[in-house]
Amino acid sequence: MSSKPDREDIEKLRLLASVTVNASDAIVITEAEPITELGPKIIYVNKAFEQMTGYTASEVIGKTPRILQGPKTDRAELDKIRAALLKREPIRSDLINYSKDGSERWIELEIVPVANENGIYTHFISIQRDITARKKIEAELQKFFALVDRSSDFIAMCSMEGKILFVNEAGRKLVGLNTLEEAVSKKLSDYLPEEDVASFYQSILPKVIDEGRTLSEAKLRHFKTGETIDVERSCFIVRHPENQDILCLATVQRDITERKKAQAAQLRAQVAEEINKQLEKEISERKKVERKLRYSNLHDNLTGLANRVLFMDRLKQAIFKLKRHQDKLIAVLFLDLDRFKVINDSLGHYCGDRLLIEFARRLTKCLRSIDTVARLGGDEFSILLEDLKDSTDATTIARRINEEMRLSFNLCGQEVFTSASIGIAFASSEFDSPENLLRNADIAMYRAKERGKGRHAVFNSKMHDRAVELLQMENDLKWALERSEFCLYYQPIVSLETRKIMGFEALIRWQHPERGLVSPAEFIPLAEETGLILPIGFWVIQEACYQMRIWQQQSQSNRKLSVSVNISGKQFAQTDFVEQVGQILQETNLEPNCLRLEITESILLEEIELATSMLLRLKELGVKIYLDDFGTGFSSLSYLHRLPITELKIDRSFIKSMEVEVEGLEIVRAIVVMAHNLGIDVIAEGVETQQQLQKLRNLNCAYAQGYLFSPPVNRDAAYDISSDRGGESKFY
Ligand code: C2E
Ligand code: MG
Ligand code: MG
């Protein structure tokens, strides 16, 4: 129900309006009737209206609000307002209005119908607020939210108290929420894994407030699965643009699960690669060690050459290859350094080693790269020559090697000469065995050595027979002592002054069951090599002393006879050698000065200090010493005066040469003079002729021994000689 307002009403309104005059909102009062298409008539506007619209009150009073509307004013909204006004209901609306100058502006409109005391609606009071700025912000915000919603990142806002205000669509999807309503119904702490909540409030939030923003890696909780999602989180504070009050906390978070996974995978890959590298390194180290080990298993440590194992393997392969290349020949060279022992003993092992290294180097120089050189041990080397056309290829190489060795070796500051004895064996068929081939080369090497130093010899089957013979002999030698196959022959030593026998040299013979009487030259070196010389030598001394004692007892004239026994280096090196001799003398009851020991210069050479003390002890025992084969060995007279030597025996080669060469005679003369000066008597060995005897007599040589007087004879014959011509009777 409405009616025209009366005067009183208007006054009332004016009063009301005066109150609103200074209000900041625009106030418009209209009549309640009639509500036409254009709206009710304006009867009052306040100051704020005038300022807002640019119209003066007089310009609008009597007009309808239509004056304020324009093209962008929402028609539907106007219809809605009119419908409300017709029903006399209050209404709120946002509309675009136009100022006098035509400019647009958003207003928030609130229209209230006013009734008088009778309940009749007489007017509408409309309060208009300029919300252009807000609308602008809202429009911007709309755009912003549209953007935010389209973003694939998790974007959210919450109040400082932790109330969620907004979570965009991507964010909701990420944490398993469907609607915004659902999202805002949660608290901030619900979005975090339980264990991160405290640290967020204690350290992250204060930091954001302090610095405005933070960037860190964090975790979100998935509402459905409860699993955590790795994110990169940027938090910042939103402040009021004017007063800078904190409005809310905003966050943009990016799902980095994939990146994390990739990082973890990369890390795992890195670790795996690191482990792999480590493993590879270890394997390669182990391989290196294995290679080294394999190398050292197959190579000689000193020279770096192949060792016996590798050599034999190569030889085996080479022989196998002959199957396919029947026109080819392979050769094995066996080398042994001449005089190595002398060099090693005199210059020491260090220099000996240097010699072997240098020797190996020169050897390699003489060969092709396909040839195999090996050190078999000690001073023994071997060479495998493959693909030879004929045997002269190998002998040429052997010659070249000795040519190369002819140059001196400089060892530890000393110039040393050496050569090699080389044995050569050939194989032309696959049926030869590597062992036999090497053995044949070894046998040939021995033959080469026998021929002199720096020679080579090619193996033939005769050599093999000889080697077999030697082996057989070695075997037989082992039993010879037990089987009493040894006997002593005796050769008289005659005084050139008295022409009487002064004694006998005991010389061993081997009565071999098949070979007959074997000379010591044949089996003594073998006995020395095998060590059998020790029991044999002991037996010789024992037998000689025993025999001499018998002869002495048999005849008064034999009382002064002596017996001399040859002693080998090995015997002499025994520490209890003097005791052994003493024991034999005691057992046989022979006067010690009736026993003479014949030693050679080489024995003295080995260790002069030790040899000297040994000789002094023997002298103490009363035994005399002969220096045998004088002139053939070291030939240095310088040490003679220091040694307790009673006689020296000039080697028979000098006696022989005395007859044919002038120098020979001079050498013998010099030896005799020198020996006399040292108070040593001389025995001439191997006197065979009267001329020799005469010359020796002229030189005042004291004693002689030789076929001229008697060859070595067995004990009965020797006894005959001694009883016939020994003692008182003259020998010649
Ligand atoms: P040796 O000690 O120089 O002995 C002298 C050698 O010369 C003996 O040879 C002897 O038969 C030989 N001989 C003596 N007078 C003449 C001569 O006028 N003309 C020629 N051409 N030769 C003569 P044998 O008995 O064959 O002994 C050879 C070597 O064997 C000995 O040389 C000695 O070194 C060694 N020997 C012999 N018996 C033993 C022994 O019981 N023990 C040791 N360790 N060695 C022995
Ligand atoms: Mg002798
Ligand atoms: Mg001799």
Side-chain angles (χ1 to χ4, degrees):
M1 289 274 278
S2 66
S3 69
K4 255 178 142 350
D6 55 25
R7 198 109 206 102
E8 207 177 321
D9 292 336
I10 292 171
E11 277 317 304
K12 251 193 234 165
L13 283 171
R14 222 170 247 144
L15 191 70
L16 175 69
S18 70
V19 180
T20 65
V21 141
N22 294 321
S24 58
D25 293 337
I27 296 172
V28 176
I29 302 174
T30 60
E31 291 174 343
E33 296 284 350
I35 301 171
T36 64
E37 268 300 293
L38 304 169
K41 262 190 210 140
I42 299 168
I43 59 164
Y44 173 77
V45 292
N46 71 347
K47 269 257 179 341
F49 176 88
E50 288 180 323
Q51 279 161 9
M52 194 194 284
T53 61
Y55 290 108
T56 59
S58 57
E59 283 172 319
V60 292
I61 287 174
K63 307 265 170 61
T64 68
R66 183 63 190 262
I67 195 168
L68 300 170
Q69 292 157 11
K72 285 196 189 164
T73 309
D74 191 340
R75 296 286 137 202
E77 198 65 22
L78 288 175
D79 290 344
K80 217 167 83 187
I81 295 170
R82 200 168 55 244
L85 295 187
L86 285 172
K87 285 192 237 167
R88 305 290 188 256
E89 286 172 355
I91 183 149
R92 267 198 80 261
S93 176
D94 292 352
L95 270 184
I96 292 177
N97 271 4
Y98 291 80
S99 299
K100 191 183 169 186
D101 61 7
S103 59
E104 292 172 16
R105 127 184 77 79
W106 271 98
I107 57 155
E108 187 182 68
L109 182 70
E110 200 167 349
I111 302 173
V112 190
V114 184
N116 63 17
E117 297 97 62
N118 304 322
I120 295 167
Y121 290 96
T122 55
H123 299 91
F124 294 107
I125 296 180
S126 139
I127 301 163
Q128 300 178 4
R129 186 173 297 150
D130 189 334
I131 56 163
T132 312
R134 200 187 84 194
K135 278 288 177 186
K136 227 183 237 170
I137 290 172
E138 274 179 10
E140 289 302 315
L141 267 178
Q142 279 309 312
K143 270 193 242 163
F144 169 71
F145 283 133
L147 248 173
V148 160
D149 251 349
R150 252 183 279 147
S151 165
S152 58
D153 290 340
F154 175 104
I155 301 175
M157 282 188 257
C158 73
S159 74
M160 297 313 282
E161 292 73 41
K163 184 179 166 13
I164 297 296
L165 303 172
F166 171 79
V167 177
N168 72 341
E169 199 185 326
R172 296 193 301 266
K173 215 164 134 192
L174 184 65
V175 293
L177 297 173
N178 295 323
T179 61
L180 183 60
E181 287 69 46
E182 213 182 337
V184 297
S185 70
K186 312 283 180 196
K187 293 196 300 294
L188 168 70
S189 54
D190 297 334
Y191 285 80
L192 300 174
E194 218 170 292
E195 61 273 20
D196 290 356
V197 175
S199 77
F200 180 82
Y201 281 107
Q202 283 161 19
S203 64
I204 308 284
L205 196 56
K207 200 171 170 218
V208 184
I209 295 170
D210 221 34
E211 296 173 10
R213 66 183 303 139
T214 59
L215 187 70
S216 59
E217 284 190 0
K219 283 182 197 306
L220 279 174
R221 197 173 68 84
H222 194 280
F223 284 92
K224 298 265 158 66
T225 63
E227 278 172 13
T228 56
I229 305 150
D230 285 298
V231 289
E232 189 177 73
R233 182 173 67 197
S234 164
C235 291
F236 47 93
I237 291 292
V238 181
R239 288 177 187 274
H240 194 285
E242 280 152 24
N243 59 19
Q244 297 299 309
D245 284 348
I246 292 177
L247 293 180
C248 66
L249 177 69
T251 180
V252 178
Q253 307 191 10
R254 178 159 295 171
D255 181 3
I256 55 167
T257 313
E258 287 309 312
R259 194 171 88 193
K260 276 272 165 189
K261 263 189 208 161
Q263 269 176 2
Q266 195 182 355
L267 196 72
R268 273 200 303 276
Q270 266 173 9
V271 169
E273 197 182 338
E274 202 52 45
I275 291 173
N276 250 358
K277 264 191 210 159
Q278 202 63 33
L279 220 74
E280 265 171 30
K281 208 171 131 191
E282 232 165 74
I283 290 171
S284 106
E285 284 295 319
R286 197 171 305 160
K287 272 190 185 157
K288 247 190 238 166
V289 171
E290 272 172 17
R291 259 205 305 277
K292 248 191 205 162
L293 212 72
R294 213 174 319 131
Y295 184 88
S296 69
N297 279 343
L298 296 177
H299 290 81
D300 170 48
N301 278 345
L302 182 68
T303 59
L305 296 181
N307 65 11
R308 185 183 289 267
V309 178
L310 183 56
F311 184 82
M312 292 314 273
D313 187 58
R314 296 252 174 99
L315 183 53
K316 203 165 122 191
Q317 287 174 27
I319 291 173
F320 187 74
K321 271 193 261 170
L322 286 175
K323 213 187 240 179
R324 273 176 287 141
H325 307 282
Q326 278 157 0
D327 55 329
K328 289 283 162 47
L329 199 63
I330 60 173
V332 170
L333 273 60
F334 197 108
L335 297 90
D336 184 280
L337 257 73
D338 299 320
R339 287 173 17 95
F340 180 72
K341 193 174 154 30
V342 177
I343 294 167
N344 211 29
D345 287 349
S346 53
L347 296 182
H349 291 290
Y350 176 76
C351 294
D353 284 354
R354 298 284 105 196
L355 175 63
L356 293 173
I357 292 168
E358 179 58 16
F359 182 81
R361 199 188 62 77
R362 288 195 196 177
L363 259 191
T364 314
K365 220 173 103 185
C366 298
L367 302 167
R368 306 166 297 177
S369 59
I370 58 157
D371 301 327
T372 303
V373 195
R375 179 171 169 232
L376 302 177
D379 60 343
E380 289 178 347
F381 294 81
S382 58
I383 298 169
L384 167 63
L385 302 175
E386 290 181 66
D387 284 343
L388 299 181
K389 283 188 205 71
D390 59 56
S391 58
T392 53
D393 288 354
T395 48
T396 308
I397 286 179
R399 240 177 257 122
R400 195 191 305 158
I401 289 171
N402 265 320
E403 199 62 42
E404 185 67 34
M405 302 306 166
R406 199 158 285 175
L407 296 168
S408 68
F409 290 81
N410 194 320
L411 297 183
C412 317
Q414 292 239 32
E415 225 185 358
V416 174
F417 289 88
T418 190
S419 53
S421 296
I422 306 172
I424 307 170
F426 293 100
S428 56
S429 93
E430 76 218 63
F431 301 112
D432 289 301
S433 89
E435 290 76 19
N436 284 352
L437 210 53
L438 187 66
R439 187 205 56 205
N440 291 351
D442 188 8
I443 291 170
M445 184 279 292
Y446 271 104
R447 181 49 58 92
K449 223 180 230 323
E450 275 166 24
R451 289 181 194 162
K453 297 178 175 68
R455 303 286 179 90
H456 68 263
V458 177
F459 175 80
N460 59 42
S461 57
K462 270 195 208 143
M463 288 182 191
H464 179 239
D465 298 344
R466 167 87 185 123
V468 170
E469 192 183 282
L470 273 178
L471 194 70
Q472 185 60 48
M473 185 147 81
E474 188 184 319
N475 246 336
D476 295 347
L477 202 58
K478 277 185 202 148
W479 302 104
L481 203 59
E482 248 175 69
R483 294 176 184 153
S484 305
E485 288 172 1
F486 292 119
C487 67
L488 291 185
Y489 270 40
Y490 298 91
Q491 187 176 34
I493 300 172
V494 182
S495 163
L496 297 189
E497 195 192 337
T498 62
R499 302 187 184 198
K500 289 177 187 165
I501 296 173
M502 58 89 91
F504 289 94
E505 175 174 9
L507 293 159
I508 193 167
R509 299 290 180 266
W510 181 11
Q511 191 63 56
H512 194 278
E514 286 137 33
R515 292 149 55 105
L517 209 60
V518 183
S519 124
E522 265 188 82
F523 68 87
I524 289 291
L526 200 63
E528 283 178 338
E529 215 175 286
T530 54
L532 285 168
I533 193 69
L534 298 182
I536 296 173
F538 186 85
W539 175 84
V540 173
I541 306 172
Q542 208 175 31
E543 176 66 16
C545 290
Y546 176 73
Q547 189 56 59
M548 185 44 73
R549 181 66 195 136
I550 289 176
W551 284 334
Q552 286 178 348
Q553 282 171 339
Q554 281 173 341
S555 157
Q556 184 64 31
S557 58
N558 284 351
R559 284 278 147 82
K560 287 212 172 95
L561 284 183
S562 64
V563 69
S564 67
V565 177
N566 294 285
I567 303 297
S568 100
K570 279 239 167 91
Q571 284 174 274
F572 202 67
Q574 297 170 102
T575 45
D576 66 341
F577 179 64
V578 181
E579 284 72 33
Q580 284 181 30
V581 175
Q583 184 200 334
I584 293 171
L585 288 172
Q586 216 170 17
E587 278 170 13
T588 55
N589 221 0
L590 184 73
E591 280 287 324
N593 70 354
C594 292
L595 174 66
R596 278 101 214 257
L597 300 181
E598 296 195 8
I599 56 166
T600 56
E601 288 163 298
S602 58
I603 291 179
L604 297 176
L605 245 181
E606 302 228 323
E607 255 183 273
I608 185 86
E609 299 302 327
L610 214 71
T612 310
S613 83
M614 186 71 91
L615 291 180
L616 287 171
R617 285 169 61 205
L618 286 169
K619 188 187 171 193
E620 247 169 62
L621 197 66
V623 174
K624 292 187 171 170
I625 308 294
Y626 288 176
L627 193 55
D628 202 0
D629 302 342
F630 186 79
T632 56
F634 195 63
S635 296
S636 169
L637 308 173
S638 59
Y639 60 87
L640 273 184
H641 70 279
R642 288 202 274 144
L643 300 173
I645 286 170
T646 32
E647 267 95 22
L648 58 83
K649 299 179 80 170
I650 302 179
D651 190 70
R652 73 164 181 272
S653 56
F654 294 103
I655 305 305
K656 200 170 185 140
S657 72
M658 197 169 63
E659 236 178 345
V660 280
E661 298 165 30
V662 189
E663 295 103 79
L665 178 66
E666 289 314 310
I667 290 169
V668 176
R669 189 201 305 278
I671 294 173
V672 174
V673 170
M674 181 271 311
H676 283 169
N677 283 341
L678 292 171
I680 298 173
D681 269 331
V682 174
I683 303 171
E685 283 191 299
V687 180
E688 293 181 350
T689 65
Q690 279 298 337
Q691 287 89 330
Q692 288 167 353
L693 176 64
Q694 198 47 54
K695 282 183 177 157
L696 289 166
R697 284 181 67 89
N698 293 344
L699 290 175
N700 274 330
C701 178
Y703 305 101
Q705 179 182 353
Y707 292 170
L708 179 65
F709 311 107
S710 162
V713 290
N714 67 23
R715 76 170 167 222
D716 295 337
Y719 177 70
D720 290 343
I721 294 172
S722 70
S723 47
D724 284 357
R725 283 165 284 184
E728 298 309 309
S729 47
K730 292 205 164 89
F731 200 85
Y732 62 96

